[in-house]
Amino acid sequence: MKRILKLISALCMSLTLVACGGTKEEAISSMSLEDVMNALYEGIAEDEMPMFGEDVAINEDNVEWYLGTTEAVFDEGLAREPLIGSIAHSTVLLRVEDEKQIDATMELVRNSVNTNKWVCVGIDPSELVLEKKGNVILMIIDAVGIKDTMLSNFENI
């Protein structure tokens, strides 16, 4: 009888944990882009990162600089780039609420973004990081060597 009660108790606890937990896709979809951006850089030493200015909301005036096109469909965008224009690093987050548009937006950005937009520096387009999770698209152009940590952080959000 005690074993049956222990088993029922363990089953109830397991179901409670499953019911209260959400998927990682749901978690990132409910986070602000500012929080996602900050999470991307966690665990990276300050001396390994370029000096950043303020994060920039992507709008119709600057979208072409960050994405290489004005045709991308997204609901919200945020970018982080170094203050010094000769450092090839750019992180862009896009929130796309319409699930049907996510893959099309990613493909358009992949084909449009200028990975050599800085003075005398850039990366090979094959090194572009473009990933999605939930309703968030992550784009990283990185020549400073921190993209692997950032991608791992994105996957673990």
Side-chain angles (χ1 to χ4, degrees):
M1 187 65 157
K2 287 183 183 180
R3 286 185 183 169
I4 292 173
L5 288 175
K6 286 181 183 179
L7 182 62
I8 291 171
S9 177
L11 181 61
C12 288
M13 288 174 48
S14 298
L15 291 174
T16 302
L17 290 174
V18 169
C20 292
T23 65
K24 288 185 177 184
E25 284 76 16
E26 290 170 350
I28 198 168
S29 294
S30 65
M31 292 174 69
S32 72
L33 291 184
E34 291 82 4
D35 289 343
V36 174
M37 184 71 78
N38 290 331
L40 293 174
Y41 290 91
E42 287 181 4
I44 301 173
E46 192 172 320
D47 62 340
E48 292 178 7
M49 288 192 285
M51 185 184 342
F52 295 112
E54 295 289 319
D55 291 347
V56 176
I58 299 176
N59 58 41
E60 63 184 33
D61 296 329
N62 61 21
V63 66
E64 194 163 10
W65 169 258
Y66 294 110
L67 304 180
T69 180
T70 58
E71 304 300 316
V73 176
F74 61 95
D75 297 288
E76 179 185 12
L78 188 69
R80 182 177 287 181
E81 290 190 345
L83 291 172
I84 300 171
S86 61
I87 297 174
H89 183 85
S90 181
T91 304
V92 173
L93 294 169
L94 300 175
R95 186 173 311 277
V96 182
E97 297 295 345
D98 184 353
E99 290 180 26
K100 297 174 189 169
Q101 289 293 329
I102 292 176
D103 291 331
T105 298
M106 288 179 68
E107 190 62 25
L108 178 62
V109 170
R110 182 178 308 283
N111 293 327
S112 302
V113 70
N114 182 359
T115 59
N116 293 296
K117 63 185 180 178
W118 299 275
V119 178
C120 302
V121 295
I123 65 165
D124 187 278
S126 67
E127 297 292 317
L128 176 70
V129 173
L130 203 54
E131 296 290 332
K132 67 180 177 180
K133 186 173 201 176
N135 66 0
V136 176
I137 297 172
L138 167 66
M139 182 190 80
I140 304 171
I141 300 172
D142 177 55
V144 296
I146 60 175
K147 72 178 179 184
D148 292 336
T149 301
M150 294 175 67
L151 188 54
S152 177
N153 288 345
F154 184 69
E155 291 167 357
N156 291 321
I157 291 175

